[in-house]
Amino acid sequence: MSKKDTYRVVARGGDGSLQIRDYPTIDPLMDSHEQIGIDDCSTDLALRGMPVFRGLIGPMPEGKNIVRYETPEVFEMLTKEWGITKPKKRRRRARTVDADAQAETVAS
């Protein structure tokens, strides 16, 4: 289990761009946001016990040592983008004539 030593807040700027702020400790977030709980269900064990803040989505793992929090607008935007991306289509191998004939023989 690695130590998380960077706290990242991702928000949306006035021009619609993403603004990312990194903090070396959790203290600035504790000062600017109200803690409403602690994370007790993350699959990343290093996040368990991290604070949950009103007005931010998180904590989320980002890389080995970053704890990420997002504003609800950013979370919604990134989730929609993620959902829109289409997976690459897998090509099926064409069945040969022999395989078709064998399948018909077995079915008979």
XYZ file of all heavy atoms in Angstrom:
849
model
N 0.857 -1.172 0.000
C 0.000 0.000 0.000
C 0.900 1.231 0.000
O 1.742 1.412 0.866
C -0.891 -0.040 1.245
C -1.854 1.083 1.326
S -3.190 0.813 2.516
C -2.348 0.725 4.043
N 0.736 2.086 -1.010
C 1.590 3.259 -1.123
C 0.997 4.451 -0.374
O -0.203 4.546 -0.161
C 1.780 3.612 -2.600
O 0.544 3.958 -3.170
N 1.875 5.341 -0.008
C 1.457 6.539 0.723
C 1.020 7.597 -0.278
O 1.720 7.888 -1.236
C 2.629 7.053 1.559
C 2.420 8.417 2.132
C 2.457 8.384 3.624
C 2.430 9.762 4.232
N 1.296 10.563 3.929
N -0.145 8.160 -0.056
C -0.639 9.239 -0.903
C -0.112 10.545 -0.323
O -0.385 10.877 0.822
C -2.169 9.260 -0.932
C -2.811 7.942 -1.324
C -2.616 7.629 -2.775
C -3.413 6.399 -3.156
N -3.235 6.009 -4.524
N 0.662 11.293 -1.110
C 1.260 12.508 -0.579
C 0.947 13.772 -1.377
O 1.499 14.826 -1.106
C 2.767 12.348 -0.436
C 3.460 12.059 -1.760
O 2.800 12.083 -2.807
O 4.674 11.805 -1.736
N 0.057 13.668 -2.347
C -0.382 14.833 -3.109
C -1.903 14.811 -3.160
O -2.509 13.779 -3.448
C 0.190 14.800 -4.541
O 1.614 14.765 -4.467
C -0.241 16.025 -5.335
N -2.504 15.953 -2.887
C -3.962 16.093 -2.895
C -4.314 17.026 -4.034
O -3.895 18.177 -4.059
C -4.454 16.621 -1.545
C -4.059 15.684 -0.432
C -2.825 15.794 0.193
C -4.885 14.646 -0.066
C -2.445 14.899 1.186
C -4.519 13.749 0.920
C -3.282 13.883 1.541
O -2.905 12.990 2.504
N -5.073 16.530 -5.002
C -5.394 17.270 -6.225
C -6.882 17.608 -6.241
O -7.725 16.746 -6.011
C -5.031 16.424 -7.431
C -5.386 17.049 -8.766
C -4.775 16.298 -9.907
N -3.333 16.537 -9.861
C -2.434 15.811 -10.512
N -2.806 14.792 -11.235
N -1.155 16.099 -10.424
N -7.174 18.871 -6.553
C -8.545 19.321 -6.721
C -8.705 19.779 -8.165
O -7.927 20.610 -8.647
C -8.900 20.477 -5.753
C -10.310 20.969 -6.010
C -8.741 20.021 -4.315
N -9.694 19.220 -8.858
C -9.950 19.574 -10.250
C -11.290 20.283 -10.303
O -12.315 19.751 -9.875
C -9.963 18.326 -11.159
C -10.164 18.719 -12.603
C -8.681 17.525 -10.995
N -11.260 21.512 -10.819
C -12.468 22.329 -10.933
C -12.550 22.872 -12.356
O -11.611 22.746 -13.144
C -12.430 23.470 -9.921
N -13.659 23.489 -12.669
C -13.855 24.080 -13.985
C -13.656 25.584 -13.872
O -14.224 26.234 -13.000
C -15.252 23.764 -14.473
C -15.507 24.248 -15.870
C -16.789 23.699 -16.360
N -16.416 22.908 -17.522
C -17.223 22.142 -18.181
N -18.439 21.992 -17.801
N -16.830 21.490 -19.225
N -12.845 26.137 -14.766
C -12.597 27.564 -14.784
C -13.749 28.313 -15.427
O -14.657 27.723 -16.020
N -13.719 29.621 -15.319
C -14.760 30.461 -15.909
C -14.864 30.311 -17.414
O -15.933 30.470 -17.995
N -13.749 29.976 -18.067
C -13.747 29.792 -19.518
C -14.045 28.354 -19.933
O -13.973 28.009 -21.101
C -12.408 30.241 -20.096
C -11.233 29.444 -19.556
O -11.436 28.628 -18.630
O -10.111 29.645 -20.058
N -14.362 27.502 -18.966
C -14.708 26.115 -19.259
C -13.531 25.159 -19.203
O -13.707 23.954 -19.341
N -12.336 25.684 -19.005
C -11.159 24.814 -18.940
C -11.064 24.157 -17.568
O -11.679 24.607 -16.606
C -9.891 25.629 -19.208
O -9.712 26.583 -18.175
N -10.283 23.089 -17.506
C -10.067 22.417 -16.235
C -8.953 23.123 -15.471
O -7.913 23.439 -16.043
C -9.682 20.959 -16.448
C -10.755 20.041 -17.006
C -10.212 18.626 -17.151
C -11.979 20.031 -16.124
N -9.197 23.377 -14.203
C -8.180 23.960 -13.341
C -7.775 22.914 -12.323
O -8.624 22.367 -11.620
C -8.716 25.197 -12.636
C -9.011 26.335 -13.579
C -9.463 27.572 -12.835
O -9.958 27.483 -11.722
N -9.295 28.721 -13.460
N -6.487 22.647 -12.251
C -5.972 21.615 -11.355
C -5.075 22.283 -10.328
O -4.179 23.053 -10.680
C -5.179 20.563 -12.148
C -6.090 19.895 -13.176
C -4.558 19.538 -11.214
C -5.372 18.973 -14.131
N -5.351 21.992 -9.068
C -4.521 22.490 -7.976
C -4.027 21.326 -7.157
O -4.813 20.481 -6.737
C -5.346 23.390 -7.075
C -5.336 24.811 -7.508
C -5.590 25.617 -6.285
N -4.667 26.727 -6.310
C -4.956 27.879 -5.801
N -6.100 28.068 -5.206
N -4.087 28.849 -5.853
N -2.734 21.289 -6.926
C -2.129 20.244 -6.111
C -1.679 20.824 -4.779
O -1.148 21.937 -4.725
C -0.923 19.632 -6.827
C -1.317 18.766 -8.010
O -2.506 18.405 -8.117
O -0.437 18.445 -8.819
N -1.881 20.043 -3.727
C -1.486 20.440 -2.380
C -0.634 19.331 -1.775
O -0.936 18.152 -1.953
C -2.725 20.648 -1.496
C -3.680 21.686 -2.025
C -4.791 21.316 -2.778
C -3.485 23.031 -1.761
C -5.683 22.267 -3.257
C -4.375 24.001 -2.238
C -5.463 23.600 -2.987
O -6.341 24.548 -3.464
N 0.404 19.705 -1.026
C 1.251 18.680 -0.416
C 0.636 18.048 0.838
O 1.051 16.981 1.259
C 2.532 19.444 -0.058
C 2.088 20.854 0.094
C 0.934 21.041 -0.845
N -0.370 18.710 1.421
C -1.061 18.171 2.596
C -2.561 18.367 2.424
O -3.012 19.130 1.561
C -0.630 18.876 3.905
O -1.077 20.234 3.855
C 0.877 18.826 4.096
N -3.342 17.732 3.274
C -4.798 17.836 3.233
C -5.289 19.111 3.928
O -6.445 19.503 3.774
C -5.443 16.574 3.845
C -6.923 16.462 3.496
C -5.262 16.540 5.351
C -7.204 16.044 2.117
N -4.413 19.792 4.665
C -4.811 20.946 5.481
C -5.537 22.054 4.709
O -6.566 22.547 5.184
C -3.602 21.515 6.225
C -3.044 20.513 7.232
O -3.817 19.641 7.697
O -1.842 20.594 7.533
N -5.072 22.490 3.529
C -5.809 23.539 2.813
C -7.250 23.136 2.457
O -8.157 23.962 2.488
C -4.989 23.774 1.545
C -3.622 23.277 1.864
C -3.820 22.161 2.851
N -7.453 21.853 2.151
C -8.817 21.379 1.855
C -9.669 21.367 3.116
O -10.858 21.696 3.070
C -8.780 19.982 1.238
C -8.233 19.897 -0.181
C -8.095 18.448 -0.615
C -9.112 20.654 -1.127
N -9.073 20.989 4.219
C -9.808 20.969 5.490
C -10.232 22.391 5.877
O -11.298 22.575 6.458
C -8.939 20.365 6.606
C -8.545 18.922 6.371
S -9.909 17.794 6.517
C -9.825 17.385 8.226
N -9.392 23.385 5.533
C -9.709 24.776 5.854
C -10.792 25.353 4.946
O -11.594 26.182 5.384
C -8.455 25.650 5.760
C -7.422 25.300 6.827
O -7.805 24.692 7.861
O -6.238 25.620 6.618
N -10.812 24.928 3.684
C -11.731 25.549 2.723
C -13.021 24.770 2.487
O -13.946 25.296 1.869
C -11.020 25.755 1.382
O -10.621 24.512 0.842
N -13.101 23.522 2.931
C -14.299 22.707 2.713
C -14.736 22.059 4.021
O -13.917 21.747 4.877
C -14.028 21.616 1.675
C -13.836 22.139 0.297
N -12.619 22.610 -0.150
C -14.694 22.291 -0.732
C -12.754 23.015 -1.404
N -14.003 22.834 -1.781
N -16.030 21.812 4.093
C -16.582 21.152 5.275
C -16.488 19.643 5.110
O -16.980 19.080 4.125
C -18.046 21.562 5.451
C -18.722 20.896 6.611
C -20.212 21.216 6.685
O -20.718 22.015 5.881
O -20.864 20.627 7.557
N -15.857 18.984 6.075
C -15.764 17.528 6.033
C -17.094 16.947 6.492
O -17.617 17.313 7.534
C -14.646 17.023 6.937
C -14.503 15.517 6.871
C -13.347 14.987 7.706
O -12.493 15.741 8.152
N -13.330 13.673 7.894
N -17.640 16.029 5.672
C -18.936 15.434 6.009
C -18.832 13.941 6.287
O -19.832 13.285 6.544
C -19.980 15.692 4.895
C -19.494 15.153 3.555
C -20.308 17.174 4.819
C -20.524 15.194 2.451
N -17.647 13.401 6.220
C -17.470 11.980 6.499
C -16.080 11.529 6.155
O -15.191 12.336 5.888
N -15.903 10.206 6.154
C -14.636 9.612 5.743
C -14.920 8.475 4.776
O -15.984 7.861 4.812
C -13.814 9.084 6.945
C -14.588 8.013 7.711
C -13.374 10.201 7.854
C -13.747 7.261 8.714
N -13.968 8.228 3.901
C -14.110 7.138 2.945
C -13.883 5.822 3.680
O -12.869 5.645 4.349
C -13.089 7.293 1.820
C -13.271 6.250 0.741
O -13.020 5.068 1.032
O -13.671 6.605 -0.371
N -14.846 4.920 3.557
C -14.692 3.623 4.221
C -14.951 2.452 3.285
O -15.087 1.326 3.734
C -15.607 3.534 5.438
C -17.072 3.615 5.087
O -17.395 3.885 3.914
O -17.903 3.418 5.975
N -14.995 2.722 1.962
C -15.313 1.622 1.052
C -14.447 1.588 -0.199
O -14.724 0.808 -1.101
C -16.788 1.677 0.670
S -17.234 3.181 -0.200
N -13.419 2.402 -0.280
C -12.588 2.431 -1.474
C -11.849 1.107 -1.645
O -11.400 0.493 -0.677
C -11.580 3.568 -1.390
O -10.766 3.567 -2.551
N -11.701 0.679 -2.891
C -10.924 -0.521 -3.156
C -9.426 -0.230 -3.046
O -8.642 -1.140 -2.872
C -11.220 -1.095 -4.548
O -10.978 -0.084 -5.525
C -12.660 -1.572 -4.638
N -9.052 1.047 -3.142
C -7.670 1.465 -2.893
C -7.542 1.667 -1.386
O -8.049 2.640 -0.832
C -7.365 2.750 -3.648
C -5.917 3.177 -3.522
O -5.255 2.790 -2.534
O -5.454 3.929 -4.392
N -6.898 0.748 -0.718
C -6.843 0.777 0.741
C -6.179 2.035 1.286
O -6.462 2.453 2.405
C -6.133 -0.464 1.264
C -6.819 -1.794 0.929
C -6.018 -2.955 1.498
C -8.241 -1.812 1.447
N -5.311 2.683 0.491
C -4.657 3.909 0.941
C -5.657 5.065 1.061
O -5.385 6.050 1.739
C -3.525 4.287 -0.004
N -6.822 4.953 0.415
C -7.822 6.017 0.484
C -8.775 5.858 1.664
O -9.458 6.811 2.041
C -8.649 6.074 -0.806
C -7.906 6.492 -2.064
C -8.864 6.512 -3.244
C -7.226 7.820 -1.891
N -8.831 4.680 2.228
C -9.746 4.463 3.354
C -9.350 5.356 4.523
O -8.188 5.444 4.892
C -9.755 3.012 3.772
C -10.423 2.155 2.719
C -10.800 0.830 3.234
N -11.336 0.028 2.130
C -11.652 -1.227 2.251
N -11.512 -1.844 3.401
N -12.125 -1.878 1.220
N -10.347 6.028 5.065
C -10.099 6.956 6.161
C -9.854 8.381 5.695
O -9.782 9.288 6.521
N -9.737 8.593 4.371
C -9.561 9.951 3.846
C -10.872 10.708 3.993
O -11.950 10.126 3.937
C -9.177 9.920 2.363
C -7.829 9.360 2.092
S -6.617 10.660 2.280
C -5.151 9.742 1.915
N -10.802 12.031 4.154
C -12.020 12.807 4.338
C -12.867 12.912 3.071
O -12.348 12.907 1.965
C -11.506 14.188 4.760
C -10.097 14.242 4.340
C -9.596 12.844 4.277
N -14.178 12.994 3.273
C -15.144 13.282 2.223
C -15.641 14.696 2.501
O -16.012 15.015 3.634
C -16.316 12.275 2.246
C -17.381 12.650 1.238
C -15.806 10.860 1.991
N -15.622 15.555 1.474
C -15.966 16.963 1.658
C -17.273 17.311 0.969
O -17.575 16.787 -0.110
C -14.859 17.858 1.083
C -13.538 17.723 1.774
C -12.482 17.081 1.155
C -13.359 18.236 3.043
C -11.252 16.961 1.784
C -12.133 18.122 3.688
C -11.084 17.483 3.064
N -18.022 18.229 1.575
C -19.225 18.764 0.948
C -18.794 19.585 -0.274
O -17.883 20.393 -0.205
C -19.979 19.659 1.922
C -21.304 20.178 1.360
C -22.078 21.033 2.347
N -22.250 20.418 3.650
C -23.137 19.461 3.954
N -23.924 18.981 3.014
N -23.223 18.983 5.174
N -19.417 19.331 -1.404
C -19.124 20.086 -2.622
C -18.016 19.505 -3.471
O -17.691 20.064 -4.517
N -17.435 18.395 -3.054
C -16.404 17.734 -3.850
C -16.713 16.246 -3.959
O -17.237 15.647 -3.032
C -15.016 17.906 -3.220
C -14.430 19.306 -3.182
C -13.100 19.299 -2.435
C -14.228 19.859 -4.588
N -16.377 15.672 -5.102
C -16.519 14.241 -5.311
C -15.140 13.631 -5.058
O -14.154 14.056 -5.629
C -16.957 13.912 -6.751
C -18.185 14.712 -7.164
C -17.160 12.415 -6.931
C -19.437 14.386 -6.428
N -15.078 12.639 -4.217
C -13.799 12.009 -3.931
C -13.778 11.515 -2.504
O -14.780 11.645 -1.798
N -12.717 10.943 -2.110
C -11.418 10.825 -2.768
C -11.388 9.723 -3.830
O -12.104 8.739 -3.747
C -10.484 10.466 -1.615
C -11.348 9.729 -0.651
C -12.703 10.348 -0.769
N -10.532 9.950 -4.852
C -10.323 8.981 -5.923
C -8.817 8.802 -6.103
O -8.074 9.763 -5.965
C -10.879 9.511 -7.241
C -12.345 9.790 -7.273
S -12.782 10.538 -8.848
C -13.282 12.138 -8.265
N -8.382 7.607 -6.439
C -6.957 7.430 -6.696
C -6.594 7.973 -8.072
O -7.367 7.878 -9.021
C -6.771 5.913 -6.650
C -8.095 5.366 -7.051
C -9.120 6.352 -6.536
N -5.442 8.582 -8.147
C -4.909 9.010 -9.445
C -3.409 8.734 -9.421
O -2.655 9.448 -8.783
C -5.175 10.494 -9.687
C -4.718 10.950 -11.045
C -5.061 12.387 -11.353
O -5.946 12.957 -10.721
O -4.405 12.936 -12.235
N -3.012 7.690 -10.047
C -1.613 7.294 -9.984
C -1.297 6.671 -8.631
O -2.192 6.301 -7.874
N -0.015 6.565 -8.337
C 0.392 5.898 -7.104
C 0.250 6.769 -5.867
O -0.059 6.272 -4.799
C 1.848 5.442 -7.211
C 2.031 4.196 -8.011
C 3.454 3.722 -7.898
C 3.570 2.305 -8.415
N 4.871 1.742 -8.161
N 0.509 8.071 -5.990
C 0.585 8.879 -4.781
C -0.324 10.100 -4.773
O -0.124 11.012 -3.998
C 2.037 9.318 -4.533
C 2.538 10.246 -5.611
O 2.027 10.254 -6.717
N 3.548 11.028 -5.293
N -1.339 10.138 -5.630
C -2.223 11.308 -5.719
C -3.634 10.930 -5.302
O -4.181 9.928 -5.752
C -2.234 11.889 -7.148
C -0.829 12.349 -7.530
C -3.223 13.039 -7.255
C -0.697 12.809 -8.958
N -4.203 11.764 -4.446
C -5.613 11.653 -4.070
C -6.339 12.763 -4.827
O -5.956 13.929 -4.736
C -5.809 11.856 -2.553
C -7.280 11.774 -2.195
C -5.011 10.834 -1.776
N -7.370 12.412 -5.564
C -8.057 13.377 -6.423
C -9.455 13.660 -5.895
O -10.187 12.745 -5.505
C -8.141 12.804 -7.831
C -8.826 13.704 -8.837
C -8.831 13.004 -10.190
N -9.561 13.728 -11.186
C -9.014 14.257 -12.272
N -7.718 14.127 -12.486
N -9.755 14.887 -13.142
N -9.812 14.933 -5.902
C -11.163 15.395 -5.617
C -11.605 16.226 -6.813
O -10.796 16.946 -7.401
C -11.202 16.267 -4.350
C -10.929 15.521 -3.069
C -9.642 15.381 -2.575
C -11.972 14.964 -2.336
C -9.390 14.701 -1.393
C -11.733 14.283 -1.149
C -10.439 14.157 -0.687
O -10.206 13.481 0.489
N -12.882 16.118 -7.189
C -13.416 16.885 -8.317
C -14.675 17.605 -7.887
O -15.420 17.114 -7.031
C -13.777 15.952 -9.476
C -12.623 15.217 -10.060
C -13.014 14.209 -11.123
O -14.220 13.903 -11.266
O -12.117 13.721 -11.811
N -14.930 18.740 -8.539
C -16.208 19.406 -8.322
C -17.269 18.574 -9.037
O -16.960 17.823 -9.969
C -16.198 20.844 -8.880
O -15.971 20.789 -10.291
C -15.153 21.704 -8.196
N -18.522 18.687 -8.621
C -19.576 17.904 -9.279
C -19.666 18.165 -10.789
O -19.928 17.240 -11.561
C -20.852 18.342 -8.564
C -20.384 18.769 -7.212
C -19.028 19.388 -7.440
N -19.427 19.404 -11.226
C -19.500 19.721 -12.662
C -18.431 18.970 -13.443
O -18.695 18.429 -14.512
C -19.328 21.234 -12.894
C -20.382 22.095 -12.254
C -20.088 22.383 -10.773
O -18.922 22.289 -10.334
O -21.051 22.688 -10.049
N -17.213 18.952 -12.907
C -16.116 18.240 -13.573
C -16.395 16.744 -13.577
O -16.217 16.079 -14.593
C -14.763 18.549 -12.883
C -13.668 17.628 -13.385
C -14.382 20.002 -13.090
N -16.846 16.210 -12.464
C -17.150 14.786 -12.379
C -18.195 14.392 -13.420
O -18.030 13.406 -14.142
C -17.647 14.439 -10.971
C -17.969 12.992 -10.789
C -16.971 12.062 -10.595
C -19.291 12.552 -10.809
C -17.261 10.708 -10.428
C -19.591 11.212 -10.645
C -18.573 10.291 -10.455
N -19.248 15.188 -13.538
C -20.306 14.896 -14.512
C -19.773 14.976 -15.936
O -20.042 14.106 -16.762
C -21.468 15.867 -14.318
C -22.635 15.582 -15.225
C -23.803 16.524 -14.983
O -23.861 17.183 -13.936
O -24.661 16.600 -15.870
N -18.993 16.011 -16.235
C -18.454 16.195 -17.576
C -17.535 15.033 -17.957
O -17.669 14.450 -19.035
C -17.678 17.511 -17.658
C -16.984 17.734 -18.996
S -15.848 19.120 -18.986
C -14.546 18.508 -17.925
N -16.606 14.676 -17.072
C -15.670 13.601 -17.381
C -16.367 12.247 -17.461
O -15.991 11.396 -18.276
C -14.545 13.568 -16.348
C -13.618 14.792 -16.348
C -12.594 14.683 -15.232
C -12.948 14.982 -17.686
N -17.385 12.042 -16.645
C -18.136 10.786 -16.691
C -18.887 10.669 -18.019
O -18.915 9.606 -18.636
C -19.106 10.693 -15.506
O -18.354 10.784 -14.294
C -19.886 9.395 -15.524
N -19.486 11.773 -18.467
C -20.186 11.739 -19.757
C -19.223 11.472 -20.895
O -19.518 10.687 -21.793
C -20.923 13.060 -19.994
C -22.195 13.179 -19.218
C -22.896 14.484 -19.517
C -24.180 14.598 -18.716
N -24.844 15.887 -18.935
N -18.054 12.125 -20.873
C -17.051 11.883 -21.918
C -16.612 10.428 -21.915
O -16.447 9.821 -22.965
C -15.840 12.797 -21.714
C -16.094 14.229 -22.078
C -14.886 15.119 -21.824
O -13.795 14.590 -21.490
O -15.034 16.343 -21.957
N -16.404 9.877 -20.730
C -15.982 8.490 -20.621
C -17.064 7.563 -21.184
O -16.774 6.577 -21.859
C -15.690 8.165 -19.151
C -15.370 6.740 -18.898
C -14.208 6.092 -19.162
C -16.250 5.765 -18.329
N -14.308 4.772 -18.771
C -15.553 4.549 -18.265
C -17.563 5.813 -17.857
C -16.120 3.395 -17.753
C -18.115 4.659 -17.349
C -17.392 3.469 -17.306
N -18.329 7.883 -20.914
C -19.422 7.043 -21.379
C -19.654 7.120 -22.874
O -20.166 6.186 -23.480
N -19.269 8.217 -23.485
C -19.476 8.409 -24.920
C -18.443 7.655 -25.746
O -18.744 7.189 -26.835
C -19.444 9.910 -25.276
C -20.694 10.589 -24.731
C -19.334 10.127 -26.769
C -20.679 12.096 -24.875
N -17.241 7.510 -25.227
C -16.194 6.846 -25.997
C -16.618 5.415 -26.309
O -17.049 4.679 -25.439
C -14.841 6.831 -25.250
O -15.014 6.186 -24.001
C -14.318 8.229 -25.043
N -16.508 5.082 -27.568
C -16.923 3.752 -28.009
C -15.733 2.807 -27.978
O -14.639 3.175 -28.402
C -17.483 3.826 -29.429
C -18.761 4.607 -29.513
C -19.333 4.583 -30.898
C -20.628 5.365 -30.918
N -21.249 5.347 -32.231
N -15.950 1.614 -27.486
C -14.844 0.646 -27.494
C -14.518 0.241 -28.920
O -15.373 0.292 -29.810
C -15.393 -0.528 -26.698
C -16.863 -0.391 -26.761
C -17.153 1.082 -26.920
N -13.282 -0.160 -29.135
C -12.886 -0.616 -30.456
C -13.659 -1.871 -30.795
O -13.835 -2.753 -29.965
C -11.387 -0.908 -30.481
C -10.542 0.319 -30.330
C -9.077 -0.051 -30.384
C -8.223 1.176 -30.208
N -6.802 0.848 -30.215
N -14.117 -1.928 -32.032
C -14.860 -3.118 -32.464
C -13.882 -4.245 -32.748
O -12.836 -4.046 -33.344
C -15.678 -2.803 -33.715
C -16.807 -1.863 -33.435
C -17.776 -1.830 -34.577
C -18.951 -0.955 -34.201
N -20.026 -1.072 -35.133
N -14.267 -5.401 -32.275
C -13.450 -6.582 -32.507
C -13.922 -7.254 -33.779
O -15.112 -7.404 -34.009
C -13.552 -7.516 -31.319
C -12.962 -6.878 -30.076
C -13.273 -7.641 -28.838
N -12.834 -9.026 -28.906
C -13.018 -9.896 -27.942
N -13.633 -9.534 -26.841
N -12.599 -11.122 -28.062
N -12.984 -7.644 -34.596
C -13.334 -8.311 -35.843
C -13.531 -9.793 -35.583
O -12.774 -10.415 -34.857
C -12.225 -8.115 -36.865
C -12.126 -6.670 -37.304
C -11.022 -6.483 -38.287
N -11.085 -7.470 -39.354
C -10.234 -7.540 -40.340
N -9.250 -6.693 -40.404
N -10.338 -8.459 -41.265
N -14.573 -10.308 -36.154
C -14.806 -11.746 -36.060
C -14.101 -12.433 -37.207
O -14.016 -11.914 -38.312
C -16.292 -12.055 -36.149
C -17.038 -11.661 -34.930
C -18.432 -12.189 -35.019
N -19.115 -11.993 -33.767
C -20.368 -12.306 -33.564
N -21.080 -12.824 -34.537
N -20.918 -12.099 -32.403
N -13.644 -13.601 -36.905
C -13.015 -14.384 -37.963
C -14.107 -15.000 -38.821
O -15.106 -15.495 -38.327
C -12.152 -15.465 -37.359
C -10.971 -14.871 -36.621
C -10.187 -15.904 -35.920
N -9.742 -16.947 -36.846
C -8.936 -17.930 -36.501
N -8.492 -18.014 -35.276
N -8.581 -18.842 -37.380
N -13.910 -14.944 -40.108
C -14.892 -15.511 -41.036
C -14.864 -17.031 -40.921
O -13.804 -17.637 -40.803
C -14.572 -15.093 -42.460
N -16.044 -17.608 -40.923
C -16.118 -19.067 -40.867
C -15.799 -19.629 -42.243
O -16.214 -19.094 -43.264
C -17.511 -19.496 -40.451
C -17.791 -19.143 -39.011
C -19.153 -19.539 -38.598
N -19.309 -20.989 -38.693
C -20.354 -21.650 -38.229
N -21.334 -20.995 -37.651
N -20.435 -22.944 -38.335
N -15.102 -20.702 -42.251
C -14.751 -21.331 -43.526
C -15.907 -22.197 -44.008
O -16.793 -22.573 -43.244
C -13.490 -22.208 -43.373
O -13.791 -23.248 -42.452
C -12.314 -21.380 -42.887
N -15.882 -22.529 -45.254
C -16.922 -23.379 -45.826
C -16.909 -24.739 -45.155
O -17.947 -25.326 -44.858
C -16.723 -23.516 -47.360
C -17.727 -24.486 -47.953
C -16.822 -22.156 -48.023
N -15.728 -25.273 -44.819
C -15.623 -26.575 -44.158
C -16.270 -26.536 -42.783
O -16.945 -27.481 -42.374
C -14.160 -27.000 -44.028
C -13.534 -27.331 -45.379
O -14.301 -27.661 -46.313
O -12.297 -27.253 -45.483
N -16.085 -25.457 -42.061
C -16.670 -25.337 -40.727
C -18.188 -25.285 -40.822
O -18.894 -25.862 -39.995
C -16.144 -24.091 -40.013
N -18.713 -24.580 -41.848
C -20.163 -24.525 -42.038
C -20.727 -25.911 -42.360
O -21.751 -26.315 -41.826
C -20.520 -23.554 -43.174
C -20.300 -22.095 -42.782
O -20.287 -21.810 -41.564
O -20.151 -21.265 -43.687
N -20.043 -26.644 -43.222
C -20.498 -27.986 -43.596
C -20.447 -28.917 -42.393
O -21.363 -29.720 -42.173
C -19.645 -28.534 -44.731
N -19.416 -28.809 -41.594
C -19.277 -29.652 -40.414
C -20.381 -29.315 -39.385
O -20.964 -30.210 -38.784
C -17.901 -29.453 -39.777
C -17.633 -30.418 -38.631
C -16.252 -30.228 -38.090
O -15.577 -29.244 -38.354
N -15.798 -31.210 -37.320
N -20.712 -28.038 -39.250
C -21.763 -27.627 -38.320
C -23.095 -28.183 -38.774
O -23.913 -28.609 -37.944
C -21.816 -26.104 -38.211
N -23.350 -28.198 -40.074
C -24.608 -28.751 -40.584
C -24.665 -30.259 -40.347
O -25.713 -30.807 -40.029
C -24.744 -28.453 -42.070
C -25.058 -26.994 -42.355
C -25.138 -26.716 -43.844
O -25.266 -27.671 -44.646
O -25.072 -25.534 -44.203
N -23.545 -30.963 -40.512
C -23.493 -32.406 -40.287
C -23.779 -32.736 -38.843
O -24.527 -33.653 -38.529
C -22.107 -32.957 -40.692
O -21.835 -32.556 -42.027
C -22.069 -34.457 -40.573
N -23.205 -31.961 -37.920
C -23.413 -32.200 -36.486
C -24.851 -31.918 -36.127
O -25.450 -32.633 -35.324
C -22.444 -31.309 -35.658
C -22.785 -31.379 -34.187
C -21.004 -31.731 -35.901
N -25.462 -30.904 -36.721
C -26.840 -30.543 -36.392
C -27.840 -31.566 -36.904
O -28.943 -31.681 -36.391
C -27.157 -29.169 -36.999
N -27.462 -32.341 -37.919
C -28.399 -33.314 -38.508
C -28.610 -34.514 -37.667
O -28.043 -34.998 -36.859
C -27.897 -33.766 -39.870
O -27.784 -32.682 -40.721
